[in-house]
Each structure stands twice: as C-alpha cells, then as structure tokens.
Amino acid sequence: MAAVRRSKPNPPTLLLLLVQLCFLSSSIATGNGSGYAINGRVKIPGFSDKGFGLPVKANNAKVILNGGQQVTFLKPDGYFSFHNVPAGTLLIEVDVIGYFFSPVRVDVSARNPGKVQAALTENRRGLNELVLEPLKDEQYYEIREPFNIMSIVKSPMGLMIGFMVVVVFLMPKLVENMDPEEIRKAQEEMRNQGVPSLANLMPRSG
Amino acid sequence: MGSDGKKREGKTDQPSLEFSDPPPPFSLLIAMAMAIKLSLILLFFSSSLIPTFSLFEDQVGLMDWHQRYIGKVKHAVFHTQKAGWKRVVVSTEENVIASLDLRRGEIFWRHVLGANDVVDKIDIALGKYVITLSSEGSILRAWNLPDGQMVWESFLSGSMSSKALLTVPANLKVDLDSPIFVYSGACIHAISSIDGEYLWKKDFASEGSVDVHQLILPGGSDVVHAVGVTDSSQFDTYEIHVKNGGLLKHTSASFPGGIYGEILPISGDRFVVLDASRSVLVLITIENGQIHLEQTHISDLIHGSSGNTVILPSKLSGIFSLRTDNGIVFIKVTGEGKLNVMERVDKTVVISDALPHSEGEQAFALVQHGDGKIELSVRLVHDMSSNHLKETVKMDHERGFVHKIFINNYVRTDRSHGFRALIVMEDHSLLLLQQGEIVWTRDDGLASVIDVATSELPVEKIGVSVAKVEHSLFEWLKGHILKLKGTLMLATPDEVAAIQKIRLQSSEKSKMTRDHNGFRRLLILLTRAGKLYALHTGDGRIVWSTLLQSLRTTSQQCAGLKLHQWQVPHHHALDNNPSVLVVGRCGLSLSSPSALSIVDAYTGKELQNMGPVQHSTVQVISLPFRDSSEQQLHLLIDADKRAHLYPTTPEAANIFQRESENVYWYSVESEAGILRGYGVKKSHSSDTPPSEYCFETRNLWSVVFPSESEKIIATVTRKPNEVVHTQAKMIADEDVMYKYISKNMLFVATVSPKASGPIGSATPDESVLVVYLVDTVTGRILHRMTHLGSQGPVHAVLSENWVVYHYFNLRAHRYEMSVLEIYDQSRAENKDVLKLIVGKHNLTTPVSSYSRPEVTTKSQSYFFTHSVKAISVTSTAKGITSKHLLIGTIGDQVLALDKRFVDPRRSLNPTQAEKEEGLLPLTDALPIIPQSYVTHSFKVEGLRGIETVPAKLESTSLVFAYGVDLFYTRIAPSRTYDSLTEDFNYALLLLTILALVVAIFVTWVLSERKDLQDKWR
C-alpha cells in the first residue's frame, strides 16, 4: 500500500497498513527534517497468498531505492519500508533472483505531505497501493529437449544416413520401375547438357 | 590548442595517435570480402534467431565458476551454546553480514547491505536473532539466525549525528520482553527485541552536548548506565530506567585537561581514559553517586615512554591495555583504584576481548607474530602470570600480521575447556584456530578486488609417453561412449552422474599449461589489502598469492592502485616469465609517494621492489613501446605533472626520447570541470628535472566546461588493447561505411550541477545531460549531444567507433541507453572497387590528428529496465566476431546484450535489404532475455566491474566479473562457429562412419550378387 507514515512506527503496524489502502496522509516525519517513509509490500504469487513466509528463493530479496541510494530487505510477510526519504520522484527496484519486477516510479509530494503515487515504469500502469508483483518468472536455463528420434534424424549424421539409404535402396527401385527407353532418353539429354548426373554414377542396369 | 601545431603522421606504433593503419587497397578488398563472408556466416547463424548466451542447467560449472566471499571481518559473534550447527556471525568492511559454519567456514547465509549502510555493530539477541546496527546507528535490523530471513527492521531517528552503540542484554529468558538499547543520534533508544517495536527514547541533546561513550547494562538491575563526556572537559554519568527511559540520576565531574579517545570500562563502576596530552591516565570511579577522578602520569608507570599512547579497545575486566611506542602494557586496576603494570608485550601483539569462562573467570587471548608462525596464548584475567593455554601455529608468510582476534570457548568431551580463535589477517583472510591447528581458512581478501590483469600460462613441455596417450585415448573413448549412452537415454542414473563428473572435472581445463584455444589463463587480481592473487581460469583455484612487500615497508597506509602488464614475452625474451607492474600509493593524498613493484606472473615472486619512490603517481600510462627484453615502457605522471619513465634503463630512455614527440595523454579534473591534454617537453629547461628518467610536460590544450551548467560525471576511453578487424562496415545494398576508429577518442558526460544528486532531487527541466566525443590529442570536440531532462549516473562503454551509455531519463522516469556511432566521411567516396584497384583513393593518405576529421554520427536511444552498475563489451582476438554488451545490473547479474539491439540504424520498418543485413526492427525498449544472463542463476554480490579478455579462439571471449563475489565464464557472442561445441558427440560420428562403411560393404556384396544373377539369366 502506498502510505506515508511517521518515521516512528505505530504499534499495530500491520493493521494500520491494511487500513491505509487509499492515499492516507500523515504529518511530516519527525527527526532531521525532510525525511519521509515509504512502505510497501512485495508479493510473489503462489507463496504470499498462503500467508506468512516467502519462498526460500526470496530470502535474498532486496528492494533498492534510486539505484542503490538505499537498500532494504523484506520482512517474512513481504513488507518493506524506506525511511528518511526526501520528497521527489523516486525509483524503486525489486531484486529477487528468478523473477522479473518492473521498477516503480514513486512520487513523494512535499507540498501535500504523505501523498504517494506509484506507477510501474515498464507498462505505465498506476498502482493504487504499493504492492509489487513480478511481471514474469525468469528462467535462466534453456530447457533440454527430451531425446527423440527426430533429433538424430535431423542431425547432419542422420541426414547423411538418410540420404545414403535413399540412394542405395530407393534409387535402384525407381530406376527398375522406369521404362528402359525413358532412362536412355534421359541419359542422353543429360549428356547433351553436359551436366554430370547421378545416373552416370549408378550401377549400370539393363 | 597545442603550442606546437606540427602535423604528425599517424603511425601504428604511436602511443596516442593511433588511427588504425589505413589498409592498402588489396587488403581492404580482402577485408571487405572477409566482412561479407562473415556477415553471411553471421546471417546464417542469426537470420532465424537472435543469438543469446544460453545454457542448459547441466552445463553449469562446465566453463564457469562462482566464488562467494564476505570481505574483511570487523565484528564476530559466536553462537555455540546450543546443540546443532555451531556458527559465527560476522560483519565485514564490505557491508556484508554472514553466518559461517564454524566447522568448515562455509557461508550459511549472507546479506550484502547497501553501500551507504555501513554496519556499526552486531550482536545476537534471545539466542535466535542476529541484531545489526547500521547507517550510523539509524537502522536496527534483526535477522533470523538459522536462515537469515529479516525478522524486523526499525528506523531510529536522532537529533544529531553521534557514534553508534548497541547493547543487547545477555540473559536468555525469552519470556521477558528484553529491550535492546541503542545509542545513536545523541539519543538512547530502547527497542523490543521480539518485534522491533519502539519502547522509548531518551534524547541527550536536551542535556547539553553530551557525547555518550559507553552504554552499560549491569546484570539483574533495572538501570542503564550511560557514560559520556561533555565538551571533552566534563564526565557525565546517567542512570536511566530500563522500563520507561526516565532519568534516575545524573552526576558529573569536570576535567579541564580534556580527553583523548574513548572511555574504556574496566568494571561496572570504573572507567579509564587518556587526557588530551596523551600522557596522563584518568581513572574514573563512581562511588555513592559521586564521580572520583584519579590521574596517573604514564611516565610514572612505564619508564621511558613518550607520546602516541593509545588505550586499546579490548574489554578485559579489571585490566586494560595501553599501546605505546615501545610495546603494549597490561595495567591492572586494583580494588583501591591503584594502577599496577602487569606485563609488557611486543607492539605487534593483538588482544581479544575478555570472554566469561568457568566460575566467573574471564579469559582473553593474545596472539603474537613469529617467523613463519603465530603464537596464540589464552590467559585468565585474574591470573595473568601464566598462560592458560599456549599454542603455536604455522602460518603462511603471505598472510602477513594478525589484525584481529575473536575467541570462543567450548567444553571438550573430557569436560575440560578448550578455546577456538577466529583471526583476521593482514591480507583480510579469515582463519579458525583450534587445538594448535588451522581448521579452515577463507581468502576473503578476494572480496575487494581493485584491478585485474591476465597472464598466459607456461607452454607445455614436449614429451608425452605412449602409455599416457593410450590411456587418455581409452579414457576419451570411454567418456564418449558414456555420453552417447546419455544422449540415447540408455544410461543408468549412476552413469549419468559419471557423465556429469567427467564433464565437470575434466583435467584438461585446470592444467597449468597454455592451451590451444587460449581458455586457460591466470587471472591476476590486486586486492585492497595489497595482496596479489593469481587464479586459474579453469577452476578458479588460487595458484599463488603474494603480499606485496613494497606496500608494507613504511608505517604509512599503502594501498595498491593499478595493475599493468609489465613484460609479456612473445618473441625475444621467451625465457623470461611474464610479469606485472603494481602501482600503489603510500598515504591518502594524491601527492603521497608511490610504491612500485614488479611481480612474476608464474610464481608470484616480487622481482623488483621499488618501495616508496620519491614521486607521487596520479596517472599511469602504458606506452606502446617495448625494450629489447620486451618490458613495456610506462609513464607515471606525478601530482606536479611531471612524467617519470619506467623501466629506468638507458635503453628505455633512448626509445622514449626517440618517440617522445608522439606521446600524448590527457587528464580529467572532474571538480574543476577541465580536460587537459599533455605532451612531453622536448628540450630540457634550465631547472633540470631530478633525473634523466623524469620529463617535464607541457599543456597542449584544455577544454573548460562552464561550471554553472556542466559537471563532469563520467569519462570513458577505448580499451588500449582492443583489436578492430576492419574499418569498413558493409551495409545494405552493398554499400560501405567507414568507421572512425581512433584510440584517442574520449567520451565525456556532463550534467547540470543541480542534477548531479540522486534521482528525484532535480526536476526534468533543470537537468540536462550532455555527452561529448573528444579527441585527446588535439582536444577537438568531435561530437556533442544533449539529452534534455536526463541525469546520471552515467555508465558507458566505448569500443571501435561506438559508445553505449546508460543514464536516467527523468521525463519518462526510466533508464535509457543510447548508442552513438561515429563514421569517417573522408573515406566515404572509396566505394568504387575499380578506383580502389587503380589506386585512385585516399586510403593511404596520412592520417593526422591535427587534420580536421570529417565525421558523421548516428545515434539512437532505447529504454532499459534496470539500474546498471557496470558496462563492458566482449573482446575477441581478431575483432571479427560480433560484440555483446555485458551489463552488470542492479541485481548483481551480468546480462549479455547483442550489439545489434543498440544499432542506430534500426528503423521501425526495415527494408528487405536491411533485414537481410540482420538489422532488427526498432523497439522502444531493449529486451531482457533471462537466458542471456551470463551469470545465469548466480549473483555476483556487490558487483563492481566486468573484465573481458580475448581467447585465442576468435569466437570466444573470457568474462570475469568481480565484486564481493567472483564469477568467471567464457562466452561466444556469435556461437562457437570455429570449434565444435562441448557436447559434440564424437562417438555418434564414429558410429555413423562405421555404419556407412558397413553399408558400403553390404551394398557392394548385394550388387555383386545381383550382377552374377543377371549374368546367369
């Protein structure tokens, strides 16, 4: 959820966050001046729905503000927060190996404290709560295709064998079935053209 | 512009005037033909598919390796109480927190915090959470001890910056909501250790500017003691209630002398500190709510000691240690507050904190460095006279001195007490000592690689026995038959495992000799600790490592800076081993003296050790000249802009004198926004330089950027050793474009000063990114381009005639990548082959940097999803193979992106001819294909750089990515068109040939029989 709160966490953090579905405003953070807090959640389908616990893979998940200005980690329920963030337009990136997340543009308004707007930069989709979900899984390896006879046939060696089989066993059959005169005609034509033909190389028949 | 505007001809052997040699017509034709052929080949390979770097899962580890490190350990906390995995939790100078297995030193889990999120303190709370305090005490996090999942995070805001202290109660009662106390930002914060909830805060800013030095939680009481100093002239103690943060008592005592350093606690109510003059020890005793100060002159305790006294921060109860110029002294504080000198030890001794031992005893360890060994002794605080335990451990010289020690005790099976010690060495390696032996070592110096060079391996000695060949042939056949079985799905699971094993452990790849394809190399890595490592590219093992003596000789902090090839024997000096030059600096400022060292790349021996030399080094220039022993000439530019020539031999000086006219270099003054070009002053002036190897320089040109509108944020040049195959580029319709190829091209990116901050600090209207291509010989700006509404950080790579740079577009609020290609127009007319043959062309006209080049540029921009940490480009031996960009993303992965995606000639609807050329239709964003991550499912945590080295095989480029982790692989951007792939099945080929032969015989027999039958008919 897109919610800017005081830097000082309120006790029923979770509950409050759940309530703050729309852009709730609160006063400017205390402490050294211009700091705001951004809270959000990373949701990985298939895992976070079951309640607590992120997948083991997400154990090393990182949330990165402005290309490394601040780096934070996910709590077991997927929540994260940045503190002491200056007002302005920021960029949040999520880094979980195996998933592709779109960076998120987050506007933290100084004039209107607490108002936060977020949008995915990849597809320009606005978010009305800062819940980040992967756009797709990332598969880093090619899938090895299971063995099939076609792959052998298609390979250069397979083609070689196939061609040989055709030449050795099918060609004589074809030649046998043809009219001897036609063959002679064809041979003569070939000779006239001066093109070396396969027929010359074939075993003399008839 | 240069004071001396002579025209200079471009010859290939010139340092900075290197336009690639204009090819004569015939060779140009060949080159064109080659290019056509190559483009055909590539077309064949790529017409149907975009070549991506892709890998099957079972190919992991075949040609790549990945090593995980943590960096130099700052703090360590043992967790050994409970049964199960014994572990130690550490935080390091690379901002890593990690849990290590105490038995083998492996990483259970690890987190790399952000670069600005420096870890201040770590501890373990409730026996199940690792607590880290970071970012100057403003972020407190708890991590689950078994799996490293972050449990909670608290942000602590203070009113002003101060040092950060963390106190975690030692009791293990989980039911008690025991708070964690943090002092940071001039406030004491109490945070629940169970869920990170904020309990209370006590602001000290209101109490006057008190600086708290110690936060003590006496066991069993409800009071937190804070001891601090106000204006360094008054001691203050506060007692604060644990439950609500209420101030119970405040006492103070003034001390006009001022203090130096930190207050060190001796016991619950005693503290010790040095006065400002560092000659008086002040013992602070709190008694009945009153502070008593007692001063003792150090000279009374230790005779003949002077200045430079420091109280060591090791916490030993009842005792403290003092380091003076002469050594370390242990001083005991008696019950009456008297100071007694206990013992003196050598200055190099390192002392651990005290550890609660059996029956209220406290033990601590001290370790002393000997010759080729270290002596570890454990002593009891109450009985300093004898060693409780003394062990001598053999230690490699190349690990240097001990820097830190952490001890832990355990109960042996016979109920006696044993100790284990975790020590951090000078080279940042981590060792566990137990029972007089090194149980494990971790070479964590490799987490801070500064510079990378490569070296060839020795040539294989001739003389192979027949038996060996027979054996290997048999093995080879066996392997291939197994493989064939694997492909035919006939292999049993055992055999599949055997196949995988054969593939991974092929002895070929880790041999210590040169191979035909040039895959086996030595990666020479210079680390921040001043240690040089040589890693074998085959399996990533450490071949040798050397702690550079030239960086250790002085008391100053010396650090390595740069690594250069010094000698690469090829023709003349084949008996010599290749060597590398390490340039370091002793001291923090730019004008500090430099240290040089030449290291043999095969053995790691320091051949020459030019320990702090007189001059400083700001810039190192590898000149393209070699002397008769094939030593590369180097120019070291010092802070006074004088050039120092190395090697310092008369021969080198002669070569340099001859060529000095053609030596140019440039410097970038980012702060002032000035680029300057330099040359060597020809005549010696009256104020002669100190030696004949030192040359005065002259400023040839300067480019000054207006400081109110532009600030230099990035400069990139071409790799000096890059090979360009041809200047001609075939484009559609059999047209030719000529690349403008100059080794003197410099890419400069500037932003408006307002936009130099992080994203979001400037509006699109006030941020402008300007990129330049500058010729570094003349200072001429070849091209200038403005990106409105864009800002840095800029990461760029320059290769051949193109630059690709990555920046942030504020209007679209996305990262963008732009490509800029520069073409030579002066040769554009040379298209007529006939003219080329008759010689009517201008290709052999001399090229001078001083002639005004007619260039034209093409540019295009695309969106790119991720932030980028580093960009590099593949490099191959002859430069024929197409290139891939290697992009280190924010997720610490390395993405290979085909250069064809960043081709400024891409258009929305390419013509048929353009399609045939392999031009891709234009898209607004660059694709991220997961299979083209060269690091596949690994992360190179804390990625800092990507180095590419050409293999001898033209199709292949070796890639080495370094950060906290190291990753090596080799990639073939256009697939391995010049060799058979790893999984090529020789057995199948043999089988096919065999089948063909059999078939020939069978058919022959058949046809014979048929002939016979025909004749009988």
Side-chain angles (χ1 to χ4, degrees), chain A residues 7-13 30-32 53-55 58-62 64-84 86-107 121-124 136-149 151-152 155-158 160-161 164 168-169 172 176 203-206, chain B residues 52-60 68 109-117 139 141 143 147-155 157-159 196-198 486-489 503 758-761 808 810-815 863-867 869 890-893 924-925 928-933 935-939 941-942 983-985 988-989 992-993 995-996 999-1000 1002-1003 1006-1007 1010-1011 1014:
Chain A
S7 296
K8 186 174 180 272
N10 303 318
T13 312
T30 51
N32 20 4
L54 287 163
N59 204 349
N60 267 326
K62 275 183 201 168
I64 300 149
L65 181 76
N66 282 355
Q69 194 187 335
Q70 278 188 42
V71 178
T72 191
F73 301 85
L74 298 184
K75 286 174 200 161
D77 48 8
Y79 284 92
F80 67 88
S81 49
F82 288 109
H83 301 276
N84 219 354
T89 308
L90 313 163
L91 191 78
I92 290 179
E93 286 169 277
V94 182
D95 160 36
V96 186
I97 202 122
Y99 296 96
F100 178 82
F101 282 86
S102 165
V104 188
R105 167 203 177 120
V106 177
D107 293 287
T121 61
E122 280 294 284
N123 49 19
R124 290 168 204 199
K136 55 178 185 254
D137 288 8
E138 283 192 332
Q139 190 65 47
Y140 299 113
Y141 301 110
E142 299 272 305
I143 308 292
R144 207 179 263 287
E145 282 183 13
F147 171 78
N148 64 349
I149 202 77
S151 70
I152 288 266
S155 73
M157 270 88 77
M160 247 158 88
I161 294 176
M164 238 200 64
V168 171
F169 296 104
E176 268 172 22
R204 261 158 266 130
S205 55
Chain B
T52 56
F53 171 87
S54 55
L55 206 67
F56 296 109
E57 193 155 9
D58 52 14
Q59 286 176 322
V60 173
R68 310 207 300 159
W109 54 262
R110 175 183 67 159
H111 290 290
V112 183
L113 306 189
N116 311 326
D117 202 9
I139 299 174
R141 295 190 180 103
W143 313 84
D147 62 2
Q149 169 71 51
M150 191 177 83
V151 185
W152 51 259
E153 180 185 44
S154 272
F155 178 73
S157 63
S159 46
E197 216 170 279
Y198 214 89
T487 39
L488 294 175
M489 296 300 221
R503 294 171 73 183
I759 295 165
S761 58
F808 193 72
L810 281 162
R811 287 190 203 280
H813 215 77
R814 289 175 82 172
Y815 284 102
F863 289 125
F864 186 74
T865 307
H866 298 299
S867 300
K869 286 184 164 180
I890 190 77
D892 297 318
Q893 289 170 291
D924 68 335
I928 291 175
I929 306 158
Q931 282 92 346
S932 55
Y933 279 109
T935 48
H936 40 95
S937 60
F938 292 130
K939 280 171 107 176
E941 288 281 3
D983 40 333
F984 181 80
N985 211 323
L988 193 60
L989 179 69
T992 314
I993 293 169
L996 286 175
I1000 286 166
V1002 168
T1003 46
L1006 283 177
S1007 82
K1010 202 180 173 204
D1011 270 358
D1014 282 352

Side-chain angles (χ1 to χ4, degrees), chain B residues 708-736:
Chain B
E708 67 275 10
S709 62
E710 293 184 37
K711 184 174 185 288
I712 299 174
I713 52 165
T715 57
V716 179
T717 51
R718 252 176 74 181
K719 248 186 176 173
N721 56 357
E722 190 188 55
V723 184
V724 180
H725 175 62
T726 168
Q727 206 194 346
K729 183 178 177 176
M730 304 300 294
I731 55 171
D733 304 327
E734 300 188 354
D735 217 346
V736 186

Side-chain angles (χ1 to χ4, degrees), chain B residues 120-121 131-141 152 154-157 162-169 179-192 198 200-204 212 214-215 224 226 240:
Chain B
D120 299 307
K121 294 274 171 358
I131 307 290
T132 61
L133 184 65
S134 60
S135 287
E136 293 177 326
S138 64
I139 299 174
L140 188 70
R141 295 190 180 103
W152 51 259
S154 272
F155 178 73
L156 314 172
S157 63
S162 72
K163 65 169 68 65
L165 304 170
L166 172 72
T167 302
V168 176
I180 294 167
F181 301 98
V182 173
Y183 174 74
S184 73
C187 300
I188 291 183
H189 310 266
I191 287 115
S192 159
Y198 214 89
W200 51 260
K201 169 168 145 183
K202 167 81 190 131
D203 197 341
F204 278 94
V212 173
Q214 294 292 340
L215 210 58
V224 189
I240 292 155

Side-chain angles (χ1 to χ4, degrees), chain B residues 644-707:
Chain B
H644 302 265
L645 179 71
Y646 286 88
T648 47
T649 57
E651 191 198 350
N654 275 336
I655 297 171
F656 184 71
Q657 286 287 1
R658 208 163 56 231
E659 303 281 355
S660 63
E661 241 182 86
N662 291 322
V663 173
Y664 299 90
W665 68 93
Y666 69 93
S667 69
V668 181
E669 292 162 29
S670 312
E671 295 303 311
I674 302 175
L675 300 178
R676 289 184 202 277
Y678 297 95
V680 176
K681 210 176 252 179
K682 193 148 192 204
S683 56
H684 285 284
S685 52
S686 54
D687 49 326
T688 48
S691 83
E692 53 184 314
Y693 304 111
C694 175
F695 300 89
E696 293 289 337
T697 63
R698 61 202 166 99
N699 192 351
L700 296 176
W701 54 265
S702 320
V703 176
V704 183
F705 295 100
S707 60

Side-chain angles (χ1 to χ4, degrees), chain B residues 223-226 237-241 246-251 286 289:
Chain B
V223 178
V224 189
H225 294 264
T237 64
Y238 297 90
E239 289 183 16
I240 292 155
H241 200 268
L247 181 63
L248 298 176
K249 201 192 279 174
H250 173 210
T251 50
I286 304 163

Side-chain angles (χ1 to χ4, degrees), chain B residues 968-1017:
Chain B
Y968 165 86
T969 191
R970 51 172 199 259
I971 68 169
S974 308
R975 310 224 166 198
T976 47
Y977 55 82
D978 49 3
S979 71
L980 293 170
T981 54
E982 196 76 34
D983 40 333
F984 181 80
N985 211 323
Y986 289 92
L988 193 60
L989 179 69
L990 279 182
L991 214 74
T992 314
I993 293 169
L994 217 71
L996 286 175
V997 170
V998 168
I1000 286 166
F1001 273 100
V1002 168
T1003 46
W1004 181 65
V1005 168
L1006 283 177
S1007 82
E1008 285 287 297
R1009 199 177 289 168
K1010 202 180 173 204
D1011 270 358
L1012 197 67
Q1013 275 174 2
D1014 282 352
K1015 279 176 188 163
W1016 274 109
R1017 200 180 283 167

